[in-house]
Amino acid sequence: MTVCAASLFQWNYGVSGQESPDFGPAFIVASDRMMTDQGLNIEYESSRWKAAIVNKTNMVFVAGDFTFLSDAIQHLNKTINSEQDLDSDQIAILLSKSFVEVRNSRMERRYLSPIGVTFKDIEALRSESYIRIYEELQREQFGVEAIVVGCSGEKAGLYRLDEFGVITNHIDIGFLSIGSGGIHSSAHLMRQPYSHQSNYFRSLRATFLAKKHAEVSPGVGSATDMFKITKHEVLRIPDQITEHLEKIYRTQRVAESRRADTEISRLGAAFEVLIQQAQASAKSGPG
């Protein structure tokens, strides 16, 4: 599996030297490079980042079978082009339809085509036996989910899609994580607690650390790609910045380990004092 984490923050769109700042919504997204190919039943850490730039201010990130995303993006590209001024809401709806199309197409080829049946046949026949078959097929899961994230003017969008095409809106929460490591990533941001009023550097650090905390989950890769999405453009965060964030993370882990050792030592000393007091009380006897 994998992890992708996105956080909303406030970016200063004002001109340098301008007296009053012009804050507006923007996003930081972090993702690993672990690819899943369910057809081959393998996971591997790729050399490429795993996201799709839909247009100049909107992206799609996926967790699970990457070939599913490839098929869904191809289907999406048949209905739109990169020059269309679509916002994240519209992209989420179109991608939802693509997810349903890819899911149904795969199930039809796998289970129905060998017996000469299509989903249209099932819909036309409406017999009880075929309806049961349809319901059974709908229970099958490919384990795919996606994040649609982007800005259009002053409007920001942050959506999760599951493989059934169900869309949930996370813009008011201010962050979203998907994949096998998503629960660890989200838990880190909850503990902060993370605020969508955060500035760029706080968001950058928090999102990177959320991704790193997700690495305890099986199937989450160690490589990290990060992106900044504003109402003007999509930018990949330079490797030099992620390398610096990696150093901050390692320093933090060392400090936490030393602090834990100190606290454990103090706890042991406190217990020793209690034992000594108890022994002294026992020797003195009652009264």
Side-chain angles (χ1 to χ4, degrees), residues 1-8 27-32 50 61-64 143-149 157-162 168-192 194 203 205-215 217 220 226:
M1 291 295 285
T2 185
V3 69
C4 300
S7 63
L8 174 66
F27 294 94
I28 293 291
V29 187
S31 172
D32 70 350
K50 50 180 196 180
F61 294 81
V62 69
V144 177
E145 53 186 332
I147 291 176
V148 177
V149 55
L158 181 60
Y159 298 95
R160 175 187 178 270
L161 276 70
D162 68 16
T168 51
N169 186 347
H170 294 257
I171 195 65
D172 290 330
I173 297 174
F175 60 85
L176 170 61
S177 302
I178 61 171
S180 58
I183 189 170
H184 304 285
S185 172
S186 291
H188 172 77
L189 292 167
M190 291 173 191
R191 284 195 303 268
Q192 294 292 295
Y194 184 80
S203 176
R205 177 182 178 276
T207 309
F208 179 84
L209 293 179
K211 187 271 174 182
K212 295 300 292 184
H213 279 76
E215 290 178 12
S217 178
V220 175
M226 300 191 74

Coordinates of all heavy atoms in Angstrom, one line a residue, residues 1-8 27-32 50 61-64 143-149 157-162 168-192 194 203 205-215 217 220 226:
M1 N 0.8 -1.2 0.0 CA 0.0 0.0 0.0 C 0.9 1.2 0.0 O 2.0 1.2 -0.6 CB -1.0 0.0 1.2 CG -2.0 -1.1 1.1 SD -3.1 -0.8 -0.3 CE -4.1 0.5 0.3
T2 N 0.5 2.3 0.7 CA 1.2 3.5 0.5 C 0.7 4.6 1.5 O -0.1 4.3 2.4 CB 1.0 4.1 -0.9 OG1 1.8 5.2 -1.1 CG2 -0.5 4.4 -1.1
V3 N 1.1 5.8 1.4 CA 0.6 6.9 2.1 C 0.7 8.2 1.3 O 1.7 8.4 0.6 CB 1.3 7.1 3.5 CG1 2.7 7.6 3.3 CG2 0.5 8.1 4.4
C4 N -0.4 9.0 1.4 CA -0.4 10.4 0.8 C -1.1 11.3 1.9 O -2.1 10.9 2.4 CB -1.2 10.4 -0.5 SG -0.6 9.4 -1.8
A5 N -0.4 12.4 2.2 CA -1.0 13.3 3.2 C -1.0 14.7 2.6 O 0.0 15.2 2.0 CB -0.1 13.3 4.4
A6 N -2.2 15.4 2.8 CA -2.3 16.7 2.3 C -2.8 17.6 3.4 O -3.6 17.2 4.2 CB -3.4 16.8 1.1
S7 N -2.3 18.9 3.4 CA -2.7 19.8 4.5 C -2.9 21.2 3.8 O -2.2 21.6 2.9 CB -1.7 19.9 5.6 OG -0.4 20.4 5.1
L8 N -4.0 21.8 4.3 CA -4.4 23.2 3.9 C -3.6 24.2 4.7 O -3.5 24.0 5.9 CB -5.9 23.4 4.0 CG -6.5 24.8 3.8 CD1 -6.3 25.1 2.3 CD2 -7.9 24.8 4.2
F27 N -1.9 24.4 -0.5 CA -1.8 23.1 0.0 C -0.3 22.6 0.0 O 0.4 23.0 -0.9 CB -2.6 22.0 -0.7 CG -4.1 22.2 -0.6 CD1 -4.8 23.0 -1.6 CD2 -4.8 21.7 0.4 CE1 -6.2 23.2 -1.4 CE2 -6.2 21.9 0.6 CZ -6.9 22.6 -0.4
I28 N 0.0 21.8 1.0 CA 1.2 21.0 0.9 C 0.8 19.5 0.9 O -0.1 19.1 1.6 CB 2.1 21.2 2.2 CG1 2.7 22.6 2.2 CG2 3.3 20.1 2.2 CD1 3.7 22.9 1.1
V29 N 1.4 18.7 0.0 CA 1.1 17.3 -0.1 C 2.4 16.5 -0.1 O 3.3 16.9 -0.7 CB 0.3 17.0 -1.4 CG1 -0.2 15.5 -1.4 CG2 -0.9 17.9 -1.6
A30 N 2.4 15.4 0.7 CA 3.5 14.5 0.8 C 3.1 13.1 0.4 O 2.0 12.7 0.8 CB 4.1 14.6 2.2
S31 N 3.9 12.4 -0.3 CA 3.6 11.1 -0.7 C 4.9 10.2 -0.8 O 6.0 10.7 -1.0 CB 2.9 11.1 -2.1 OG 2.8 9.8 -2.6
D32 N 4.7 8.9 -0.5 CA 5.8 8.0 -0.7 C 5.9 7.6 -2.2 O 5.1 8.1 -3.0 CB 5.8 6.8 0.2 CG 4.7 5.9 -0.1 OD1 3.8 6.2 -1.0 OD2 4.6 4.8 0.4
K50 N 4.1 9.5 -7.6 CA 2.9 8.8 -8.0 C 1.7 9.8 -7.8 O 1.0 9.7 -6.8 CB 2.6 7.5 -7.3 CG 2.8 7.6 -5.8 CD 2.6 6.2 -5.2 CE 2.3 6.3 -3.7 NZ 2.1 5.1 -3.1
F61 N -3.8 12.3 -6.2 CA -2.8 11.4 -5.6 C -3.6 10.1 -5.3 O -4.8 10.1 -5.0 CB -2.3 11.9 -4.3 CG -1.4 13.1 -4.5 CD1 -1.9 14.4 -4.7 CD2 0.0 13.0 -4.5 CE1 -1.1 15.5 -4.8 CE2 0.8 14.0 -4.7 CZ 0.3 15.3 -4.9
V62 N -2.9 8.9 -5.5 CA -3.6 7.7 -5.3 C -2.9 6.8 -4.3 O -1.7 6.8 -4.1 CB -3.7 6.9 -6.7 CG1 -2.4 6.5 -7.1 CG2 -4.7 5.8 -6.6
A63 N -3.7 5.9 -3.6 CA -3.2 4.9 -2.8 C -3.8 3.5 -3.2 O -5.0 3.5 -3.6 CB -3.6 5.1 -1.3
G64 N -3.0 2.5 -3.3 CA -3.4 1.2 -3.8 C -2.9 0.9 -5.1 O -1.8 1.3 -5.5
G143 N -9.2 -2.0 -3.3 CA -8.3 -1.3 -2.3 C -7.7 -0.1 -2.9 O -6.5 0.2 -2.7
V144 N -8.5 0.7 -3.6 CA -8.0 2.0 -4.2 C -8.7 3.2 -3.6 O -9.9 3.1 -3.3 CB -8.2 1.9 -5.7 CG1 -7.7 3.2 -6.3 CG2 -7.4 0.8 -6.3
E145 N -7.9 4.2 -3.3 CA -8.5 5.5 -2.9 C -7.7 6.6 -3.5 O -6.5 6.4 -3.8 CB -8.7 5.6 -1.4 CG -7.4 5.3 -0.6 CD -7.7 5.3 0.9 OE1 -8.6 6.0 1.4 OE2 -6.9 4.6 1.6
A146 N -8.2 7.8 -3.5 CA -7.5 9.0 -4.1 C -7.8 10.3 -3.4 O -8.8 10.4 -2.7 CB -7.9 9.1 -5.6
I147 N -6.9 11.2 -3.6 CA -7.1 12.6 -3.1 C -7.1 13.5 -4.3 O -6.2 13.4 -5.2 CB -5.9 13.0 -2.2 CG1 -5.9 12.3 -0.8 CG2 -6.0 14.5 -1.9 CD1 -4.7 12.6 0.1
V148 N -8.1 14.3 -4.4 CA -8.2 15.4 -5.4 C -8.0 16.7 -4.6 O -8.7 17.0 -3.7 CB -9.5 15.4 -6.1 CG1 -9.6 16.6 -7.1 CG2 -9.8 14.1 -6.9
V149 N -7.0 17.4 -5.0 CA -6.6 18.6 -4.2 C -6.2 19.7 -5.2 O -5.5 19.5 -6.2 CB -5.5 18.3 -3.2 CG1 -4.2 17.7 -3.9 CG2 -5.1 19.5 -2.4
G157 N -10.1 23.1 -2.7 CA -10.8 21.8 -2.6 C -9.9 20.7 -2.1 O -8.8 20.6 -2.6
L158 N -10.4 19.9 -1.2 CA -9.7 18.7 -0.7 C -10.7 17.6 -0.6 O -11.5 17.5 0.3 CB -9.1 19.1 0.6 CG -8.2 18.0 1.3 CD1 -7.0 17.6 0.5 CD2 -7.7 18.5 2.7
Y159 N -10.6 16.6 -1.5 CA -11.6 15.5 -1.5 C -10.9 14.1 -1.5 O -9.8 13.9 -2.0 CB -12.4 15.6 -2.8 CG -13.2 16.9 -2.9 CD1 -12.7 18.0 -3.6 CD2 -14.4 17.0 -2.3 CE1 -13.4 19.1 -3.7 CE2 -15.2 18.2 -2.4 CZ -14.6 19.2 -3.1 OH -15.4 20.4 -3.2
R160 N -11.6 13.2 -0.9 CA -11.2 11.8 -0.9 C -12.2 11.0 -1.7 O -13.4 11.2 -1.6 CB -11.2 11.2 0.5 CG -10.9 9.7 0.5 CD -11.0 9.1 1.9 NE -10.7 7.7 1.9 CZ -11.7 6.7 1.7 NH1 -12.9 7.1 1.5 NH2 -11.4 5.5 1.7
L161 N -11.7 10.1 -2.6 CA -12.5 9.3 -3.4 C -12.2 7.8 -3.0 O -11.0 7.5 -3.0 CB -12.3 9.5 -4.9 CG -13.0 10.6 -5.6 CD1 -12.5 11.9 -5.2 CD2 -12.9 10.4 -7.1
D162 N -13.2 7.0 -2.8 CA -13.0 5.6 -2.7 C -13.3 4.9 -4.1 O -13.7 5.6 -5.0 CB -13.8 4.9 -1.6 CG -15.3 4.9 -1.8 OD1 -15.7 5.1 -3.0 OD2 -16.0 4.7 -0.9
T168 N -15.9 12.4 -0.4 CA -16.0 13.1 0.9 C -15.2 14.3 0.9 O -14.1 14.4 0.3 CB -15.6 12.2 2.1 OG1 -14.3 11.6 1.8 CG2 -16.6 11.0 2.2
N169 N -15.8 15.4 1.5 CA -15.1 16.7 1.4 C -14.4 17.0 2.8 O -15.0 17.0 3.8 CB -16.2 17.8 1.2 CG -15.7 19.2 1.1 OD1 -14.5 19.4 1.3 ND2 -16.5 20.1 0.6
H170 N -13.1 17.2 2.7 CA -12.3 17.4 3.9 C -11.7 18.8 4.1 O -10.8 19.0 4.9 CB -11.1 16.4 3.9 CG -11.6 14.9 3.9 ND1 -11.5 14.2 5.1 CD2 -12.1 14.1 3.0 CE1 -11.9 13.0 4.9 NE2 -12.4 12.9 3.6
I171 N -12.3 19.7 3.3 CA -11.7 21.1 3.4 C -11.8 21.7 4.7 O -10.9 22.5 5.2 CB -12.3 22.0 2.3 CG1 -11.5 23.2 2.0 CG2 -13.8 22.3 2.6 CD1 -10.1 23.0 1.5
D172 N -12.9 21.5 5.4 CA -13.1 22.1 6.7 C -12.3 21.4 7.8 O -11.9 22.1 8.8 CB -14.6 22.1 7.2 CG -15.5 23.0 6.3 OD1 -14.9 24.0 5.9 OD2 -16.6 22.7 6.1
I173 N -11.9 20.2 7.6 CA -11.0 19.5 8.5 C -9.6 20.1 8.4 O -8.8 20.3 9.3 CB -11.0 18.0 8.3 CG1 -12.4 17.4 8.6 CG2 -9.9 17.3 9.1 CD1 -12.5 16.0 8.3
G174 N -9.2 20.4 7.1 CA -7.9 21.0 6.8 C -6.8 20.1 6.5 O -5.7 20.5 6.1
F175 N -7.0 18.8 6.6 CA -6.0 17.8 6.2 C -6.7 16.5 5.8 O -7.8 16.2 6.2 CB -4.9 17.6 7.3 CG -5.5 17.1 8.6 CD1 -5.7 15.7 8.8 CD2 -5.8 17.9 9.6 CE1 -6.1 15.2 10.0 CE2 -6.3 17.4 10.8 CZ -6.5 16.1 11.0
L176 N -5.9 15.7 5.1 CA -6.5 14.4 4.7 C -5.3 13.4 4.4 O -4.3 13.8 3.8 CB -7.3 14.6 3.4 CG -7.8 13.3 2.6 CD1 -8.6 12.5 3.5 CD2 -8.5 13.7 1.4
S177 N -5.4 12.2 4.8 CA -4.4 11.2 4.5 C -5.1 9.9 4.0 O -6.2 9.6 4.5 CB -3.6 10.8 5.8 OG -3.0 11.9 6.3
I178 N -4.5 9.2 3.1 CA -5.0 8.0 2.5 C -3.9 6.9 2.5 O -2.7 7.3 2.6 CB -5.6 8.2 1.1 CG1 -4.5 8.7 0.1 CG2 -6.8 9.1 1.1 CD1 -5.0 8.7 -1.3
G179 N -4.3 5.7 2.2 CA -3.4 4.6 2.1 C -3.2 3.8 3.4 O -3.9 4.2 4.4
S180 N -2.4 2.8 3.4 CA -2.3 1.9 4.6 C -1.7 2.7 5.7 O -1.9 2.4 6.9 CB -1.4 0.7 4.2 OG -0.1 1.1 3.8
G181 N -0.9 3.7 5.4 CA -0.3 4.6 6.5 C -1.1 5.8 6.8 O -0.7 6.6 7.6
G182 N -2.3 5.9 6.2 CA -3.1 7.1 6.4 C -3.5 7.3 7.8 O -3.6 8.5 8.3
I183 N -3.9 6.3 8.6 CA -4.3 6.4 9.9 C -3.2 7.0 10.8 O -3.4 7.8 11.7 CB -4.9 5.1 10.5 CG1 -5.5 5.3 11.8 CG2 -3.8 4.0 10.6 CD1 -6.3 4.1 12.3
H184 N -2.0 6.5 10.6 CA -0.8 7.0 11.3 C -0.5 8.5 11.0 O -0.3 9.3 11.9 CB 0.4 6.2 11.0 CG 0.2 4.7 11.3 ND1 0.2 4.2 12.5 CD2 0.1 3.7 10.4 CE1 0.0 2.9 12.4 NE2 -0.1 2.6 11.2
S185 N -0.6 8.8 9.7 CA -0.4 10.2 9.3 C -1.4 11.1 9.9 O -1.1 12.2 10.4 CB -0.4 10.2 7.7 OG -0.4 11.5 7.3
S186 N -2.7 10.7 9.8 CA -3.8 11.6 10.3 C -3.7 11.7 11.8 O -3.9 12.8 12.4 CB -5.1 11.0 9.9 OG -5.4 11.1 8.5
A187 N -3.3 10.6 12.5 CA -3.2 10.7 13.9 C -2.1 11.7 14.4 O -2.3 12.5 15.3 CB -2.8 9.3 14.5
H188 N -1.0 11.8 13.6 CA 0.0 12.8 13.9 C -0.6 14.2 13.8 O -0.3 15.1 14.6 CB 1.2 12.6 13.0 CG 2.2 13.7 13.1 ND1 3.1 13.8 14.2 CD2 2.5 14.8 12.4 CE1 3.9 14.8 14.1 NE2 3.5 15.5 13.0
L189 N -1.3 14.5 12.7 CA -1.8 15.8 12.5 C -2.9 16.1 13.5 O -3.0 17.3 13.9 CB -2.4 15.9 11.1 CG -1.3 15.8 9.9 CD1 -2.0 15.6 8.6 CD2 -0.5 17.1 9.9
M190 N -3.7 15.1 14.0 CA -4.7 15.4 15.0 C -4.0 15.7 16.3 O -4.5 16.6 17.1 CB -5.5 14.1 15.2 CG -6.4 13.8 14.0 SD -7.2 12.2 14.3 CE -8.0 11.9 12.7
R191 N -2.9 15.1 16.6 CA -2.2 15.3 17.9 C -1.6 16.7 18.0 O -1.3 17.2 19.0 CB -1.1 14.3 18.1 CG -1.7 12.9 18.6 CD -0.6 12.1 19.1 NE 0.6 11.9 18.2 CZ 0.7 10.9 17.4 NH1 -0.3 10.0 17.3 NH2 1.7 10.8 16.5
Q192 N -1.3 17.3 16.8 CA -0.6 18.6 16.8 C -1.3 19.6 17.8 O -0.6 20.2 18.6 CB -0.5 19.1 15.4 CG 0.4 18.3 14.5 CD 1.9 18.4 15.0 OE1 2.5 19.4 14.9 NE2 2.4 17.3 15.4
Y194 N -3.3 20.1 14.2 CA -3.0 20.9 13.0 C -4.2 21.9 12.7 O -5.4 21.5 12.8 CB -2.8 20.0 11.8 CG -2.4 20.8 10.5 CD1 -1.1 21.3 10.4 CD2 -3.3 21.1 9.6 CE1 -0.7 22.0 9.3 CE2 -2.9 21.9 8.5 CZ -1.6 22.3 8.3 OH -1.2 23.1 7.3
S203 N 3.2 24.2 7.9 CA 2.5 23.1 7.2 C 3.5 22.2 6.5 O 3.3 21.0 6.5 CB 1.6 23.8 6.1 OG 1.0 22.8 5.3
R205 N 6.5 21.4 7.5 CA 7.1 20.5 8.6 C 6.1 19.5 9.0 O 6.4 18.3 9.1 CB 7.6 21.3 9.8 CG 8.1 20.5 10.9 CD 8.5 21.5 12.1 NE 9.0 20.7 13.2 CZ 8.2 20.2 14.2 NH1 6.9 20.3 14.1 NH2 8.8 19.5 15.2
A206 N 4.8 19.9 9.3 CA 3.8 19.0 9.9 C 3.5 17.9 8.9 O 3.3 16.8 9.3 CB 2.6 19.8 10.2
T207 N 3.4 18.3 7.6 CA 3.0 17.3 6.6 C 4.1 16.3 6.4 O 3.8 15.1 6.2 CB 2.6 18.0 5.3 OG1 1.7 19.0 5.5 CG2 2.0 17.0 4.3
F208 N 5.3 16.8 6.4 CA 6.5 15.8 6.2 C 6.5 14.9 7.4 O 6.7 13.7 7.2 CB 7.8 16.6 6.1 CG 9.0 15.7 6.0 CD1 9.4 15.3 4.7 CD2 9.7 15.4 7.1 CE1 10.5 14.4 4.6 CE2 10.8 14.6 7.0 CZ 11.2 14.1 5.7
L209 N 6.4 15.4 8.6 CA 6.4 14.5 9.8 C 5.3 13.5 9.8 O 5.4 12.4 10.2 CB 6.5 15.4 11.0 CG 7.7 16.2 11.3 CD1 7.6 17.0 12.6 CD2 9.0 15.3 11.3
A210 N 4.1 14.0 9.3 CA 2.9 13.1 9.2 C 3.3 11.9 8.3 O 2.9 10.7 8.6 CB 1.7 13.8 8.7
K211 N 3.9 12.2 7.2 CA 4.3 11.1 6.3 C 5.3 10.2 6.9 O 5.3 9.0 6.8 CB 4.9 11.7 5.0 CG 5.2 10.7 3.9 CD 6.6 10.1 4.0 CE 6.8 9.0 3.0 NZ 8.2 8.4 3.1
K212 N 6.3 10.7 7.6 CA 7.3 9.9 8.3 C 6.7 9.0 9.3 O 7.2 7.9 9.5 CB 8.4 10.8 8.9 CG 9.2 11.6 7.9 CD 10.0 10.8 6.9 CE 11.1 10.0 7.5 NZ 11.8 9.2 6.5
H213 N 5.8 9.5 10.1 CA 5.1 8.7 11.1 C 4.4 7.6 10.5 O 4.1 6.5 11.2 CB 4.2 9.6 12.0 CG 4.8 10.3 13.1 ND1 5.6 11.5 12.8 CD2 5.0 10.1 14.4 CE1 6.1 11.9 14.0 NE2 5.7 11.1 14.9
A214 N 4.0 7.7 9.2 CA 3.2 6.6 8.6 C 4.1 5.5 8.1 O 3.6 4.4 7.8 CB 2.5 7.2 7.3
E215 N 5.4 5.7 8.2 CA 6.4 4.7 7.7 C 6.4 3.4 8.6 O 7.0 2.4 8.2 CB 7.8 5.3 7.5 CG 7.8 6.3 6.4 CD 9.2 6.9 6.2 OE1 10.2 6.4 6.9 OE2 9.4 7.9 5.5
S217 N 3.9 1.8 9.1 CA 2.9 0.9 8.5 C 3.5 0.0 7.4 O 4.3 0.6 6.6 CB 1.7 1.7 7.9 OG 0.8 0.9 7.3
V220 N 4.6 1.2 3.3 CA 4.9 2.6 3.1 C 6.4 2.8 2.9 O 7.2 2.3 3.6 CB 4.4 3.4 4.3 CG1 4.9 4.9 4.2 CG2 2.9 3.4 4.5
M226 N 7.2 15.9 -2.2 CA 6.3 16.9 -1.7 C 6.0 17.9 -2.7 O 6.8 18.2 -3.6 CB 7.0 17.6 -0.4 CG 7.3 16.6 0.7 SD 7.8 17.4 2.2 CE 6.2 18.1 2.8

